[in-house]
């Protein structure tokens, strides 16, 4: 299944804003000449086009878009046509003040910025329906139309009376009665018992249950708005996929659950790949993680990169140029992890506005003789050769649980640690060992319906347990699965009420065979030694290090694989193993260092027969494999400043971007080099 | 005199919130079982109970509290019954918006948090009177009632029209005429002369006199509100003490002066005792200082710790577990400094809300088999044995002046140094030398009526001189007292007007025999050498260090004991001595280092015959002595990670918590160990 | 031409606030005694005097000022009489709320602070006109009146409906049509196309063109307000100069362009001269730069220092005492750079208010026997001897371009680097090499009418090119001038629209003979080696360092003088030279280090025959020369903690402040010492 139905290519193109250049037709003509030179053929158009369509309320002009669409069709290009709700016209803000948000202080915002309309305003919804209907009516059958791009990077909150009213309605539908809500939020705390729905102000930070539900409500607001956006599009063009573009691990929306509302997700990806920085490959692993997360959001459907930069951004500190080779590596990394397209923000730099210095395929200089343009064109040629990859699969036997609701539960709790990035870091700790070995991983949330395909399930810092999830984990283990959990797991239920009776709660303590009485939280960088016990078998080192978080655990059936070597909890278990049914459950009571996790998962991989996609893969190199019906592809990216040599499992892999003989057993990638090989399926 | 009349025990218990568990009677039953196991018997109840009493406006329910009170009485426990004004019901915020505060921006706050009602609202005062009356009527004769707990940690400010009106009335009563106020605040500055009381906005930061008076006004608002709270309680139960709980050195209220409004003060104490940190014993000294301050607030009356944590808090960064032994040490330190009770926030962790992870006697796990519970139970047993300590006295010959108004005067001045914690640090500099030697110190403010009991009076950075205080200091010295002052002393009068004619002003320069022309303020860590002069006598070192603040002083009768050894003021006096009448006045022109202060005060202690409560006391160990009519007690806490050996002045001291033979001359405390001994009075 | 017409002295005096002491006439009497002792004779009076004149609306009192003016006249002193608009009376804020500003949140401010009236309020303008008229009527012929001091340090912004309306009017007059504005601001970006002037909210940060114009509008608001202030003064006293006081490089106003509205500029100068700090002489160079900038603002007219501190300020962190000698050095530095007066804030410290601890000639102690007073008196004696300097000129052959509009254009752009101080730093890089050699520099903006007097023109980071400026630079070079430019030059037009076709844009690329394709921006401290090419000739070193910003440049006629020695752009030109007509244009593609710039400009100075005012001048010493019709003066300040020896070009220089024989060839300045010599013109 290709991203755009009937268009079996890896998407390559980007955000195109001809509406900024309507008075310079020669620039637009030049765009179409350059598009072909760059190997770009898929363009998001009209994202901020509202005033270009409707400069006067109710008077629509589509001539310019007609011309663009026709030209695209003539070239055989595809358009991802945007609904323009991301940036409302100034006349609308002036004539209909209700569409502007009310901020946290209770003040109506001035007209400014973008992405800041009130979610609930009937006027705004009516205007969106009108403009979306016009677009759908005019272009639903246009040969260039490949996809609908719903608005842009939805986000934010509004505190107007109408939004607060919807919040109260939403709560009513969730809890039915105030008694139910009062119990779920533990409102007796600080005398917060509510006696009328209207009393519930989302700005009250006293109740973590409230704060958590406000996150959910905002997600619902967006989902509800998406339905408004989609209705006219789906009515006239049911076969054209509707996509949203997302912001990676953005905390404000649960993209995994939101993805149910749309046909496709295109993520906006802006890694800070600093070739000189020592953290480059760690950062690369986090990007791979994010891609695996997005790959798994809509099982059976493709995903792609909707935005990326072929060069620097304008908003980073500092705004480094993208080093030679890194754009190609970033592209192959995305495709290797399952993306079926790599598009850019932006095709051409505008002359003014906040993003005039954001990287683009076409620079202000205007011609193709730039370093960046040539790099894009090279990628374009490679992507053309990779067209058969579209739809090829990745098979993972390892699942890592990452759940936005667990993250929100953790973050909205006051204590044990309010570091906003911590949940992500704790999950990434358990992703890197697999990335380092080239072993594919699915990243799923607690809604993942079927765990039986996995041999190994890892639930780092799974703060919240949704109903029945603990039981499902138990079944998974009893049926032979291997489960790995950590401190900060099974603390709260879905309304952030603490489980009573000891942690991990809700029955999970019996799965792990431990009681985690307390967890000592120290500053970053504070470490304690951890010693390997005989029960753990042979480890490369006899002592490892735990950092910052130290759970104090009592064995309740498990055995200790490692114990603390210092502090008042010296001798207590730091890592445990528990056999249950046909499986095993491991508990890591402390934040173990990378060295331990590498050893630990290496042993597990050996035990479970989990194999990386390369026979030998040096550290700092990413590798992925995708399998199509007739062929397989191997991708590798060298995120180090040194040449690195890889060894294949088998011979016969041929470089895709060269008419070359198949590679031998080993190949060497130059610093920051990246490559993709293919091989017929046996 | 015991804290609760007729209840001659050291209080032990804490905040108890059965209103959070009313639908789980088995939890409440378990509480009563656990209370006895923990040796807890005094519980603050109902602090946030308003909606549990009055869920519907005007409809009261006290059944649940009846049951709790009766159960407490049956056990022989005492209840510190709270008025619930600390957290207003949401229905009240909705129906009577005036009770919500107006913030600094002029916007009415949403319903949120706690401790945020308008101080002036007649509606709120009426509601408080009503609920307090109901409580007093129902429980004034109840055998469990031991004390009234007025609201909770009063704080904050409101800028509504009514509060501003009261501010203007308060100013009128303070200054009578606008001319008087204009003079007192030096309003000709920046053309601020006021011609109508209504013009005076407290948000104007231009006038430091205004800023200082706003502090005083807020203190008055709270005092005035306390009268409203107390009225119904005192009417029906005049013999039951009314207490407030306070926040140590909180800048927002002058607790020393506020204490006149109530019968008792219970401080909320949350030290950050990090056993691994190098600053542990300095921090311990600051806690001792705070306790000496509270002990002296209401002479002749007991005080106690109303809140503390048996474990971590949830709001610190990081939230470290409380190390073994530290809770016992913290308890004995408080009792040693005169506290007659040690209560906790909180008895049991709630399942939700901001404080669900705050330390408690009873954890979410629910049983008594936790490290923390066992530590509390051990303390409970010890406190039972210490019951006779209640009311025992501490005799100090040294007084240290700490005055909230002086602190406010210093902090509201723009320049010389706006570091908000500096005043506290400068006073603590002069407390530590006595703490280090186990010499008792009274901490008093400028209202302290009788100085004649003291041999040594220290006034560090006494920025403001209240009327006649300089004259009282002169008399103190002339009568044979020893006075120690420093730079930043005698700068301003009570409205923060600078004294003219040279500093220290208001006649104090003649007491010290110096003129402090200027004071050089440098960054923290900048030092200058200071050399001991022959006139100072023998010192352990010939050169010490001054840091950050360097006063440039001219002798006007005094002699130099030490002089600067560098910078353009080399050779000028850094420390001076002045004989006046039968006494002496020392002036420390610079912020001298700990080594100098230790030497300086050691000499003074020798001269004045001031003796510590131990014959030998290693650094980092705190020691206190209390004397009752029949017996004395010695307390010691080892705030170091090493064993420490102490030597008594005399033999015959017996450990309180063991049936042991009297100790010999010396005893050794383990790392972080603490102990208390008793001995009949000779 | 002297600062005050007919008063041929260097001004010495300061802000004098007798209105704070009207009830203490003995203090005022003492002031007049002390003024003579201090050698002070020019006083700014009435800056915050409004309520002292008009305590009741419409009722005026000038008796006290009459007395002061007469006393001043009797002494032969001059008064810089202020209009009092800097701080509005509280009664006015109360009776006419419209005069208070509306803040960025849209809320009307309370009465507070100073300098915060609405710029547009007709009521306020009427009140200002009334009070200014009264002052002019009463004092226009008074013998003490020397100058008008318009308000005080104008600044800030107001968002009331009236100010927004004026903003829209201003935009209309600037752009005529919305189409013009939409094009100039590139409003198609994020659908910002405006269809009504009323839609344009200045708080919208999306459009950098808007942000830039808001700066210009604020400048216009002040200029417009100045006209209101001046009208009554100019009507009655056209011959008395109207001055404003300014805040150095304050970002909020374009003082260079604002200076056209007034007769004179007096800058408020508060260097942080830390004698112990390693950055002292760099900071001194930046102060010299600022003075050269102010000297050139109003060609042919004098400027002076309106405020400075004879001691510390109260608002610095920390508030260090001013070291001995530094005040004299600061004074001679200012005079040396062209200032014809050195006045203080403040004459006497007030007893209350925010500035009671700001340095003053007269301390709270009240007498003259202070270190600071004596230092001022010494400076007073020296300035008296320097009276003939008034009006003496400085001849510079080097011009450095510093333009507030270019700075605003740079800062309002999102990317490449939003560091607010960067533009200033990049310009200062090119000032220090001349300061280090004692070569005079004019600091001018793009409006500077005649470039033909300069041999060398330097345009660091000249982001914006105003219309025809590139052509003027071309002409300058073609006619034999030497031009030096850098990366970040010629990027945008005056509405911040990026130039198309390659940078430096607007034809400037052909002047420099280069195309700057990209610029790599790294963190501060990141460096790359730069190697000198043979074409550059002999340099002291073969390799220098570039830091943080690295332009990637292609030669388009220029030749490379230096090339990068590392990174992916190794070998590309870092410094280029281009011969054009009879001149040369150099392009520095990277931020070169001080060592390179010293070498580079040393060569240029040699080629162009630019000579310093001393034959030998050690590093860290500042030197200036002024030439009058009959005599010349040489000033030198040693900003180092070591003695430094200077060598004159010729003999015959005589110290001004001593009846001494002429100096020989060499003289030595003590640490932080400063001196001035004179010599008849040959």
């Amino acid at each position: 299944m290709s991203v755009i139905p009937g268009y079996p290519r890896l998407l390559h193109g980007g955000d195109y804003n001809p509406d900024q250049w309507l008075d310079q037709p020669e620039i637009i003509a030049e765009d179409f000449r350059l598009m072909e030179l760059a190997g770009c053929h898929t363009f998001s158009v009209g994202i901020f086009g509202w005033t270009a369509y409707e400069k006067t309320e109710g008077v629509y002009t589509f001539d310019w878009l007609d011309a663009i669409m026709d030209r695209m069709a003539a070239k055989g290009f595809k358009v991802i046509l945007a609904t323009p709700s991301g940036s409302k016209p100034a006349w609308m803000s002036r004539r209909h003040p209700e569409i502007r948000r009310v901020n946290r202080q209770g003040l109506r915002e001035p007209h400014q910025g973008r992405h800041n309309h009130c979610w609930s305003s009937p006027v705004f919804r009516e205007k969106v329906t009108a403009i979306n209907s016009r677009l759908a009516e005019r272009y639903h059958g246009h040969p260039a139309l490949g996809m609908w791009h719903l608005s842009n990077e939805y986000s934010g909150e509004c505190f107007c009376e109408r939004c607060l009213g919807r919040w109260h309605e939403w709560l009513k539908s969730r809890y039915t009665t105030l008694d139910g809500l009062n119990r779920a939020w533990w409102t007796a705390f600080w005398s917060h018992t509510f006696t009328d729905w209207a009393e519930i102000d989302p700005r009250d930070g006293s109740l973590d249950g409230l704060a958590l539900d406000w996150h959910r409500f905002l997600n619902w607001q967006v989902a509800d708005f998406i339905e408004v956006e989609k209705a006219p599009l789906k009515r006239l063009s049911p076969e054209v996929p509707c996509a949203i573009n997302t912001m990676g691990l953005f905390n404000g929306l649960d993209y995994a659950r939101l993805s149910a509302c749309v046909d496709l997700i295109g993520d906006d990806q802006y890694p800070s790949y600093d070739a000189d920085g020592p953290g480059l490959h760690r950062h690369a692993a986090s990007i791979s993680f994010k891609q695996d997360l997005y790959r798994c959001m809509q099982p059976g459907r493709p995903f792609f990169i909707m935005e990326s930069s072929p060069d620097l951004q304008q908003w980073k500190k500092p705004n480094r140029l993208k080093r030679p080779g890194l754009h190609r590596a970033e592209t192959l990394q995305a495709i290797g992890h399952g993306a079926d397209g790599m598009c850019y923000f932006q095709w051409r730099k505008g002359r003014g506005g906040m993003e005039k210095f954001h990287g683009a395929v076409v620079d202000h200089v205007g011609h193709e003789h730039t370093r960046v343009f040539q790099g894009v064109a090279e990628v374009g040629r490679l992507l053309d050769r990779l067209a058969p990859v579209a739809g090829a699969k990745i098979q993972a036997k390892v699942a890592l649980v990452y759940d936005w609701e667990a993250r929100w539960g953790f973050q909205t709790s006051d204590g044990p640690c309010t570091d906003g990035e911590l949940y992500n870091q704790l999950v990434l700790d358990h992703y890197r060992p697999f990335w380092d070995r080239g072993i594919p991983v699915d990243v799923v949330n607690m809604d993942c319906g079927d765990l039986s395909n996995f041999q190994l399930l890892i639930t780092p810092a799974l703060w919240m347990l949704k109903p029945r999830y603990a039981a499902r984990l138990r079944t998974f283990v009893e049926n032979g699965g291997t489960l790995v959990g950590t401190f900060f797991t099974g603390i709260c239920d879905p309304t952030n009420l603490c489980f009573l009776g000891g942690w991990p709660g809700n029955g999970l303590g019996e799965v792990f065979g431990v009681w985690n009485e307390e967890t000592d939280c120290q500053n970053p960088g504070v470490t304690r030694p951890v010693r390997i016990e005989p029960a753990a078998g042979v480890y490369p080192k006899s002592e490892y290090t735990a950092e910052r978080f130290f759970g104090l655990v009592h064995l309740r059936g498990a055995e200790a694989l490692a114990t603390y070597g210092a502090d008042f909890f010296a001798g207590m278990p730091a890592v445990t193993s528990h056999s249950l049914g046909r499986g095993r459950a491991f508990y890591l009571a402390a934040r173990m260092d990378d060295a331990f996790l590498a050893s630990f998962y290496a042993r597990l991989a050996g035990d479970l027969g989990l194999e990386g996609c390369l026979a030998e893969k040096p550290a700092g190199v990413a590798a992925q494999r995708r399998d199509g019906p007739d062929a397989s592809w191997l991708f590798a990216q060298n995120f180090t400043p040194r040449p690195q040599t890889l060894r294949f499992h088998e011979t016969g892999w041929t470089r895709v971007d060269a008419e070359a003989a198949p590679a031998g057993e080993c190949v060497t990638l130059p610093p920051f080099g990246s490559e993709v090989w293919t091989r017929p399926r046996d």
Side-chain angles (χ1 to χ4, degrees), chain A residues 21-69:
Chain A
W21 303 90
L22 294 180
D23 57 354
Q24 286 181 268
E26 71 283 7
I27 295 276
I28 294 176
E30 184 70 358
D31 282 332
F32 278 85
R33 183 184 73 86
L34 293 168
M35 286 169 182
E36 286 200 311
L37 289 181
C40 287
H41 48 78
T42 319
F43 294 93
S44 296
V45 177
I47 295 178
F48 300 109
W50 202 324
T51 53
Y53 303 138
E54 189 184 3
K55 196 170 161 189
T56 304
E57 187 163 11
V59 181
Y60 297 92
T61 318
F62 293 104
D63 298 354
W64 67 269
L65 184 57
D66 290 347
I68 297 293
M69 293 292 283

Side-chain angles (χ1 to χ4, degrees), chain A residues 55 94 109 159 173 218 275 344 375 458 463 493-494 515 523:
Chain A
K55 196 170 161 189
R94 177 169 50 92
E109 292 181 349
F159 295 90
S173 77
L218 292 176
Y344 307 113
I458 312 169
W463 184 262
D493 78 5
W515 168 38
N523 280 321

Side-chain angles (χ1 to χ4, degrees), chain A residues 396-538:
Chain A
K397 292 293 175 192
V398 180
L400 185 61
V401 176
Y402 178 89
D403 195 303
W404 257 276
E405 294 205 5
R407 177 183 175 189
W408 289 339
F410 185 44
Q411 290 177 358
T412 56
S413 295
D414 199 36
C417 179
T418 50
D419 176 343
E421 279 304 300
L422 183 60
Y423 176 74
N424 291 352
Q425 291 165 5
L426 295 179
V427 176
L428 278 165
D429 284 352
H430 294 262
Y431 180 81
R432 281 193 300 272
F434 297 93
W435 189 87
D436 280 339
R437 303 174 70 82
I439 298 174
V441 174
D442 276 5
V443 180
V444 300
N445 69 10
M446 283 186 271
D447 295 349
C448 175
D450 185 5
L451 303 177
S452 64
N453 289 324
F454 300 115
Q455 290 178 267
L456 173 59
L457 187 64
I458 312 169
T459 60
L462 192 63
W463 184 262
M464 174 194 294
L465 294 179
K466 303 205 84 173
R468 289 175 302 283
Y469 197 65
R472 292 183 59 209
L473 294 180
R474 181 179 191 105
T475 304
F476 172 77
V477 176
E478 287 175 341
N479 289 346
T482 300
L483 174 68
V484 179
T486 74
F487 63 98
F488 292 164
T489 287
I491 307 297
C492 288
D493 78 5
T495 61
N496 242 7
L497 288 181
C498 290
F499 290 118
L500 302 182
W503 295 330
N506 208 24
L508 207 52
E510 292 160 34
V511 176
F512 288 113
V514 299
W515 168 38
N516 193 337
E517 182 183 350
E518 307 177 88
T519 301
D520 192 32
C521 300
Q522 298 280 348
N523 280 321
V526 173
T527 61
R528 296 288 177 267
V530 168
R531 295 186 183 135
I532 300 301
E533 295 291 310
V538 179

Side-chain angles (χ1 to χ4, degrees), chain A residues 9 12 44 47 74 84 87 113 125 135 184 220 300 324 337 352 437 479 526 576 594 639 662 674:
Chain A
R9 309 179 67 172
H12 191 224
S44 296
I47 295 178
S87 199
R125 288 171 171 232
L135 287 167
W220 174 83
H337 279 290
R437 303 174 70 82
N479 289 346
V526 173
T576 68
D594 285 348
F639 287 107
S674 56

